[in-house]
Amino acid sequence: MQLFLQRVFDSMNNGASYAVVAIALVLIFKATTLVNFAQANMAMFGSYLAWWFHGTVPIWIAIFLAMALSAVGGALIERVLIRPFDPSDHLPVVLITFGVAAILEATAGRFWGLEFHKFESPFPAQPDDYIGIGGARLRYETLGTLLAMGLMVAAVFLILNRTKIGLAFRAVSSNVESARLVGVRTGRTLQFGWALAAALGTLGGTLVAKQTNLEPAFMAKLVIFAFAAAVLGGLDSIGGSVIAAFIVAIIQSLLVGYAQSIPGLGWLKSNFALVVAFVLILVVLLFKPAGLYGTKRVERV
Amino acid sequence: MTATSTLGSGGSAGAGGNVMLSVSKVDASYGQVQVLRQVSFTVDRGEVVVILGANGAGKTTTLRAICQMVSTSGEIILDGQDISKSDTASIVRMGVAHVPQGRGTFPELSVEDNLEVGAYVRKDNEIRDDIARWFDAFPRLGERKSQLAGSLSGGEQQMLAVARAMMSRPQVLLLDEPSLGLAPLIIEDLFSRFSDINRETGTTMLVVEQNANLALEIATRGYVLEAGQIVLTGTADELRVNPAVREAYLGA
């Protein structure tokens, strides 16, 4: 029981990071019905910026600056590389997001090298910074990560549901043509979505970088789990993807943990969880394409 | 070139300084396919004008041309201003509201949010009052204000689409086949609502319809569109008794 609890606690940090990145994916998917394959590397680049700024300013200010700069970058990418293309033709846009991903990875490698950099935790992370619950350790760092995620989810929720730009964004996501007909400038509204998603991605990256350390490919695995969470949550449901993120993280933690102790399965290392994520994506897409909380595209006329 | 026949004197309305919308010699095409050819018509301030036409005649394209949702050449004047070079969002700001075919609501938004986003271009603080007013006018919408628009029936969605369009307090309301897919009783109710709205708010209306009966009942004037060209124009009364119109659109 103690071990089980510990594994669940251990998964929370991953769950929170997956959730934040999954929301970023869902925002873009809701609005454009395409998956931003550059999301992982946008988050990677943003995390590097935070690490770089941290050379001169405190970690929280560095993370905040990196998020702001990522938002500007996301808006620029939308304006220069996405908007000129016909949104109904997905293939070119998807290829462009792959291109952006490659450019960001190469640039990060060029600037900051391919070696690992330690990313300082923005939360208390001394060995004895934990609360003991049933013999398991719930670390302050995990609590802090959950809190940061919770605040970010609340912020996104408020922006989408209580602001005019949020209303416009939901309108564009629901029906682009009608959004234009009520006077919404759809390009600018989508740009706002890209900016928000980029900032979210960077936060997600920094929440996980403190554990994995930085290197140009550090987000590659995380984004697969985040994508599995987004698919499981329904791809267009923000709340759904948050819940799904924790489901994915717990499954990952338990599977990897218990597989080790089953005789003959010791060779299943942490990469095994990646396979599980892919299988999960496949199963959801096959049997419940709308995910747990997604909109089933059925309309009455 | 097909000349437009003008019935009686009614077709010449639109002269004088009271023109709200004037479309002249407009061509429109989707890629290589030209849909509108030299279409010209006018709508006076406060008037209800109907454009009749069969499937594929170019009715929807005519409305999309006004909103610049299709590339056009020619002149489109709204209240004295040429809008043929403007973008859709700006045209909405100048006072055009468009209810597209197939309702054009936001299915994933609540009924209330649909109305709120309808007022997107407004900056005054009477938006809440207007929403309440439309809920009074359409109590069915008020009862379902927290429901997602996609879960409404066809008739309710059409009401919502009209209320949503009126939320921008438009000068001109464009209605694209509002009767499509609705039961006769609901259509009748809907058209009497259009009449009410026109009378109470003075909103100019341009309706395109296949269902000529009701449309001619609420309209002052009409045009007949065939294969992308205006072929006939007259007052509603003149059109109603015109043999060609009767045969093609009134089932008589």
Side-chain angles (χ1 to χ4, degrees):
Chain A
M1 188 60 205
Q2 179 191 337
L3 190 60
F4 172 80
L5 214 54
Q6 190 60 54
R7 283 184 176 141
V8 171
F9 288 165
D10 288 345
S11 72
M12 290 296 141
N13 197 78
N14 278 343
S17 326
Y18 300 165
V20 174
V21 177
I23 293 173
L25 289 169
V26 166
L27 276 176
I28 299 299
F29 183 85
K30 265 173 96 77
T32 58
T33 64
L34 65 87
V35 174
N36 175 15
F37 287 99
Q39 187 66 65
N41 283 350
M42 285 166 68
M44 175 276 296
F45 204 85
S47 305
Y48 263 103
L49 287 176
W51 170 79
W52 196 46
F53 294 151
H54 184 41
T56 40
V57 297
I59 184 71
W60 272 112
I61 296 177
I63 291 178
F64 184 76
L65 282 177
M67 284 173 72
L69 219 65
S70 302
V72 174
L76 265 173
I77 290 174
E78 189 282 334
R79 184 68 193 91
V80 177
L81 296 172
I82 307 293
R83 206 183 299 181
F85 293 90
D86 175 7
S88 59
D89 191 2
H90 283 180
L91 189 59
V93 186
V94 165
L95 288 178
I96 286 166
T97 66
F98 274 114
V100 171
I103 291 169
L104 287 174
E105 187 165 342
T107 312
R110 183 87 185 75
F111 267 155
W112 295 301
L114 300 174
E115 69 274 19
F116 282 93
H117 295 291
K118 188 164 167 35
F119 194 94
E120 189 195 308
S121 174
F123 305 106
Q126 297 305 313
D128 54 352
D129 283 339
Y130 66 84
I131 308 169
I133 298 174
R137 291 170 176 191
L138 181 55
R139 303 189 53 78
Y140 291 168
E141 206 178 1
T142 309
L143 286 174
T145 306
L146 286 174
L147 187 70
M149 180 219 70
L151 287 176
M152 203 63 215
V153 172
V156 170
F157 188 82
L158 286 178
I159 289 172
L160 288 185
N161 291 298
R162 295 279 182 276
T163 69
K164 198 168 178 181
I165 181 90
L167 179 66
F169 186 78
R170 286 187 293 135
V172 171
S173 306
S174 177
N175 186 339
V176 182
E177 183 141 301
S178 289
R180 210 170 284 140
L181 287 177
V182 295
V184 172
R185 301 196 191 274
T186 51
R188 264 187 239 170
T189 307
L190 290 177
Q191 188 174 34
F192 164 79
W194 276 82
L196 187 59
L200 275 170
T202 293
L203 179 71
T206 57
L207 289 180
V208 83
K210 59 184 163 42
Q211 280 167 340
T212 59
N213 293 328
L214 276 181
E215 49 101 12
F218 91 99
M219 284 296 289
K221 259 195 238 169
L222 185 141
V223 82
I224 290 166
F225 291 112
F227 185 64
V231 169
L232 181 62
L235 266 176
D236 64 352
S237 161
I238 288 176
S241 59
V242 172
I243 295 170
F246 285 97
I247 296 177
V248 169
I250 290 172
I251 291 177
Q252 177 194 4
S253 170
L254 294 183
L255 268 178
V256 173
Y258 286 114
Q260 308 291 320
S261 52
I262 297 170
L265 288 180
W267 51 274
L268 291 175
K269 296 280 183 297
S270 64
N271 276 341
F272 173 60
L274 213 54
V275 178
V276 173
F278 277 120
V279 171
L280 187 66
I281 292 173
L282 201 70
V283 169
V284 173
L285 288 180
L286 269 176
F287 296 106
K288 204 166 183 318
L292 295 177
Y293 303 94
T295 320
K296 290 182 197 70
R297 294 255 164 197
V298 180
E299 262 174 56
R300 286 170 70 177
V301 269
Chain B
M1 280 274 107
T2 313
T4 305
S5 326
T6 303
L7 300 168
S9 57
S12 64
N18 213 15
V19 182
M20 186 73 224
L21 179 70
S22 153
V23 170
S24 54
K25 295 185 176 162
V26 164
D27 288 348
S29 46
Y30 296 104
Q32 296 292 311
V33 186
Q34 191 173 356
V35 181
L36 298 184
R37 293 161 207 276
Q38 302 287 298
V39 166
S40 302
F41 62 89
T42 59
V43 186
D44 281 357
R45 198 177 298 275
E47 205 182 13
V48 178
V49 167
V50 60
I51 296 180
L52 300 175
N55 270 336
K59 302 189 299 295
T60 294
T61 307
T62 304
L63 296 192
R64 290 174 64 89
I66 295 168
C67 284
Q68 290 300 305
M69 302 203 45
V70 54
S71 61
T72 61
S73 65
E75 207 178 46
I76 303 170
I77 310 271
L78 173 76
D79 204 9
Q81 255 183 306
D82 188 356
I83 58 170
S84 63
K85 302 285 177 288
S86 303
D87 62 286
T88 305
S90 309
I91 292 168
V92 175
R93 279 170 179 75
M94 287 184 236
V96 176
H98 186 162
V99 179
Q101 207 175 72
R103 328 286 180 239
T105 53
F106 300 95
E108 287 91 0
L109 266 57
S110 72
V111 168
E112 198 166 14
D113 281 350
N114 264 274
L115 294 187
E116 195 176 338
V117 82
Y120 184 78
V121 296
R122 284 169 55 181
K123 294 195 165 55
D124 59 277
N125 48 22
E126 291 170 15
I127 294 173
R128 290 278 125 206
D129 299 346
D130 271 15
I131 291 178
R133 209 165 297 145
W134 285 109
F135 282 158
D136 281 345
F138 297 112
R140 307 268 302 231
L141 297 181
E143 288 160 24
R144 290 161 172 69
K145 63 179 176 185
S146 314
Q147 240 172 278
L148 296 188
S151 69
L152 300 181
S153 72
E156 290 161 349
Q157 286 200 30
Q158 188 62 269
M159 286 176 196
L160 178 61
V162 172
R164 185 226 83 204
M166 290 302 297
M167 279 300 295
S168 68
R169 293 189 173 173
Q171 307 208 59
V172 180
L173 179 64
L174 311 177
L175 294 161
D176 194 347
E177 285 209 50
S179 74
L180 197 75
L182 299 181
L185 274 176
I186 294 173
I187 300 174
E188 220 164 292
D189 176 48
L190 203 62
F191 273 76
S192 76
R193 297 310 192 98
F194 296 158
S195 245
D196 295 345
I197 291 171
N198 171 253
R199 206 175 41 246
E200 286 160 19
T201 65
T203 309
T204 307
M205 291 185 184
L206 179 61
V207 189
V208 308
E209 260 299 344
Q210 278 190 80
N211 187 333
N213 259 320
L214 279 165
L216 285 174
E217 222 160 271
I218 66 163
T220 38
R221 289 186 303 118
Y223 294 85
V224 175
L225 193 64
E226 261 169 32
Q229 292 173 311
I230 301 275
V231 293
L232 192 63
T233 171
T235 64
D237 292 333
E238 287 162 354
L239 287 174
R240 208 178 288 126
V241 297
N242 181 273
V245 173
R246 286 178 69 86
E247 190 181 341
Y249 304 105
L250 295 171

